[in-house]
């Protein structure tokens, strides 16, 4: 494994453990504080549906996505699929010798079986910032680039409830052939602060949120936990949070922001969720 890959493992927990957790224990269990580090690939392997979340920020040299020890695999995508969304400047993802130019807020799906994956920036001084999600896969599907124009777009919320937002479904079954991974981007309209409200759970899938474009000095308050016993985490720019299947996942920012959602689990039905009415949240 390359010295440029840093990873950690997070084990699955139940709601009863979270009820007793201190603020720091909550952060240690669910918050991923450093996702983007220049010159490195940072990965977090969670036992919730075996999802891997992380970032790759290549500068002077390309970064190779080698297998990490928990996979017990010859190469990273031997039994996995990969989703990539670039939140930085222009860059290239090379998959088994084929280069894919990935611009700002564009995505790439890489199917199971791809042996060599590497990341490069067009300009080392203005690097690409590739956000990564990977999940176990039962089949190998073709690698495909997804531009912003290729995305399935949904308008949701309203200015009156401070949650008007545009949801761009980038790596979903209606856009690209996938096994279980789903990824997309939610952009809040000016003046709106709430994402994913009304809140919901989906016991068939887990989720990871990655918040970015949070202005300096501002933060996002991410709410999680069972609907009748919620907790919160204050999050900074380019941090991610693991959301278990039994947990709500919503946030409100003190300034403008965008976030990427990634899911893995039982099905590919985006609408499979158990909505919690706002007055029922505790």
């Amino acid at each position: 494994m390359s010295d440029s890959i840093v990873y950690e493992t997070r084990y699955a927990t139940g709601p009863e453990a979270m009820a007793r957790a201190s603020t720091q224990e909550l952060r240690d269990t669910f918050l991923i504080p450093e996702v983007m580090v220049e010159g490195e690939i940072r990965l977090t392997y969670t036992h919730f549906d075996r999802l891997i979340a992380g970032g790759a920020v290549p500068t002077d040299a390309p970064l190779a996505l080698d297998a990490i020890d928990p996979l017990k695999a010859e190469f990273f995508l031997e039994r996995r699929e990969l989703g990539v969304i670039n939140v930085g400047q222009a860059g290239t993802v090379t998959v088994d010798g084929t280069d894919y130019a990935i611009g700002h807020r564009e995505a790439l799906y890489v199917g199971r079986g791809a042996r060599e994956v590497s990341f490069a920036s067009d300009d080392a001084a203005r690097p690409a910032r590739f956000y990564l999600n990977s999940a176990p896969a039962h089949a190998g599907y073709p690698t495909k680039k997804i531009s912003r124009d290729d995305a399935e777009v949904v308008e949701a919320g309203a200015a009156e409830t401070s949650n008007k937002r545009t949801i761009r479904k980038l790596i979903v079954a209606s856009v690209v052939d996938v096994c279980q991974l789903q990824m997309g981007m939610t952009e809040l309209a000016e003046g709106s602060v709430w994402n994913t409200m009304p809140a919901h759970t989906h016991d068939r899938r887990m989720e990871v949120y990655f918040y970015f474009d949070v202005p300096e000095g501002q933060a996002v308050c991410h709410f999680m936990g069972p609907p009748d016993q919620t907790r919160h985490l204050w999050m900074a720019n380019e941090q991610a949070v693991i959301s278990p299947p039994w947990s709500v996942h919503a946030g409100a920012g003190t300034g403008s922001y965008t976030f990427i959602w990634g899911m893995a689990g039982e099905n590919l039905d985006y609408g499979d969720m158990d909505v919690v009415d706002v007055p029922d949240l505790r």
Side-chain angles (χ1 to χ4, degrees):
M1 187 184 74
S2 170
D3 292 339
S4 61
I5 297 181
V6 178
Y7 73 90
E8 64 172 323
T9 299
R10 301 284 184 91
Y11 292 99
T13 58
E16 66 286 343
M18 195 177 78
R20 301 188 299 269
S22 67
T23 298
Q24 190 58 53
E25 289 170 335
L26 198 69
R27 295 175 70 84
D28 291 343
T29 302
F30 299 106
L31 180 67
I32 305 175
E34 281 193 302
V35 177
M36 301 289 183
V37 178
E38 291 194 2
E40 292 183 358
I41 297 176
R42 288 280 178 119
L43 302 173
T44 297
Y45 180 107
T46 171
H47 281 242
F48 285 113
D49 286 299
R50 305 285 173 171
L51 186 88
I52 294 175
V57 188
T59 51
D60 296 327
L63 296 174
L65 185 63
D66 297 331
I68 58 176
D69 186 65
L71 301 182
K72 305 300 181 188
E74 181 183 350
F75 52 96
F76 193 93
L77 296 179
E78 183 177 352
R79 300 183 296 271
R80 290 184 156 265
E81 58 188 348
L82 173 70
V84 181
I85 298 178
N86 185 6
V87 300
Q89 302 303 314
T92 300
V93 182
T94 301
V95 181
D96 288 341
T98 300
D99 294 338
Y100 297 87
I102 308 298
H104 184 60
R105 300 198 181 194
E106 292 188 323
L108 182 73
Y109 172 79
V110 186
R112 191 189 79 172
R115 298 186 68 93
E116 296 183 355
V117 179
S118 63
F119 307 94
S121 295
D122 289 4
D123 182 351
R126 302 171 67 247
R129 304 176 81 81
F130 296 109
Y131 178 64
L132 315 176
N133 278 179
S134 175
H138 65 274
Y141 292 118
T143 297
K144 180 179 179 180
K145 175 181 173 178
I146 304 99
S147 70
R148 285 171 61 83
D149 292 338
D150 295 328
E152 180 182 336
V153 179
V154 176
E155 301 294 338
E160 293 78 10
T161 48
S162 303
N163 66 345
K164 182 175 174 58
R165 58 201 188 272
T166 300
I167 302 169
R168 299 185 187 276
K169 302 179 185 179
L170 293 162
I171 299 175
V172 296
S174 57
V175 175
V176 59
D177 289 331
V178 296
C179 292
Q180 65 164 317
L181 184 65
Q182 299 184 81
M183 294 179 72
M185 185 182 307
T186 298
E187 303 162 340
L188 274 72
E190 184 176 356
S192 286
V193 297
W194 281 100
N195 68 64
T196 325
M197 189 57 69
H200 59 266
T201 61
H202 30 63
D203 204 44
R204 278 69 59 193
R205 297 194 300 268
M206 63 80 66
E207 197 155 2
V208 173
Y209 276 10
F210 171 70
Y211 291 100
F212 69 103
D213 282 353
V214 180
E216 185 176 356
Q218 304 300 314
V220 175
C221 188
H222 181 85
F223 295 88
M224 63 178 302
D228 62 349
Q229 195 173 20
T230 60
R231 304 287 297 275
H232 69 270
L233 293 169
W234 283 99
M235 298 181 58
N237 187 44
E238 293 191 343
Q239 291 186 332
V241 59
I242 299 165
S243 178
W246 42 263
S247 175
V248 297
H249 34 284
T254 62
S256 61
Y257 65 94
T258 304
F259 74 97
I260 293 171
W261 42 268
M263 295 184 282
E266 185 71 20
N267 60 40
L268 293 172
D269 181 2
Y270 179 84
D272 177 13
M273 59 185 71
D274 303 314
V275 174
V276 182
D277 291 333
V278 173
D280 294 333
L281 291 168
R282 296 291 183 267

